[in-house]
Amino acid sequence: MPRLMVLGHAVIDHVFALGETPAAAEKYRATGYRAVGGGMAANAAVAIRRLGGEVLFCGRIGDDGAGRDIRAGLEAEGVDTSNLMARSGLASPVSAVMVDPAGERTLANFTDPALFEGIDGLPTRLDDDIKVVLTDYRWNAGAVHLLALAKDTGRISVLDFDRNAPRDLTLLAC
């Protein structure tokens, strides 16, 4: 199987199971809790690895406890985190996810706005063994950079986005 480079969002999700669907701004008692790794790109990297693929994850986290947990979680799954960059003084992405009895979720995410500025630290060329580049839209400049490298070298590229993607569709031109 080819080696894949995955770029984007990695987060710690704090998941709360609720006995009812939140209907108003008030206190709700959770019936369960767990902290898990999340983020579109990080989840894709873990899924690829679990299917037997070799994955190099590119992203940014803060130099904090959540960032250390994100890195440890990816490494425990066998994902190569040598391009997961910890940024001093910045907060790692975290989410609160509330899941109701029907499985519907309400999610609040915090990502430090400075975390994904610029492209410093990203590779300027793709190693020969990287055959596929997959990005999400959260690190727009990084995604444009890696998708352009993939296009210029004839590699397969995949863009993962959802209905909350920004209106800037520059990524679609890559």
Side-chain angles (χ1 to χ4, degrees):
M1 180 173 269
R3 189 161 189 234
L4 288 87
M5 178 177 281
V6 176
L7 174 130
H9 201 233
V11 60
I12 292 293
D13 287 335
H14 297 275
V15 182
F16 299 87
L18 299 179
E20 60 184 301
T21 303
E26 61 183 79
K27 184 184 284 188
Y28 293 88
R29 302 247 182 245
T31 59
Y33 166 81
R34 62 189 179 125
V36 297
M40 290 168 52
N43 285 343
V46 168
I48 292 163
R49 183 67 191 120
R50 287 180 180 178
L51 291 169
E54 294 295 322
V55 183
L56 171 62
F57 188 84
C58 296
R60 290 184 179 161
I61 52 177
D63 186 16
D64 56 13
R68 288 185 288 280
D69 290 346
I70 290 167
R71 182 182 304 280
L74 289 169
E75 289 174 351
E77 292 284 351
V79 173
D80 179 346
T81 62
S82 59
N83 277 40
L84 179 58
M85 299 163 268
R87 309 300 260 185
S88 181
L90 299 181
S92 295
V94 293
S95 294
V97 183
M98 294 166 284
V99 182
D100 72 13
E104 295 296 324
R105 69 183 177 130
T106 300
L107 188 143
N109 171 265
F110 174 76
T111 299
D112 192 316
L115 199 59
F116 295 125
E117 292 176 354
I119 61 168
D120 58 301
L122 286 177
T124 57
R125 61 175 291 283
L126 296 176
D127 291 341
D128 291 339
D129 65 337
I130 300 292
K131 304 301 182 197
V132 178
V133 172
L134 181 150
T135 73
D136 66 24
Y137 64 87
R138 297 299 295 266
W139 184 2
N140 193 73
V144 168
H145 173 74
L146 286 186
L147 291 171
L149 285 178
K151 182 178 182 180
D152 290 347
T153 57
R155 315 291 171 85
I156 297 169
S157 61
V158 179
L159 172 61
D160 183 5
F161 66 100
D162 63 16
R163 67 179 182 259
N164 295 317
R167 294 183 190 266
D168 175 7
L169 300 179
T170 307
L171 288 169
L172 297 179
C174 294

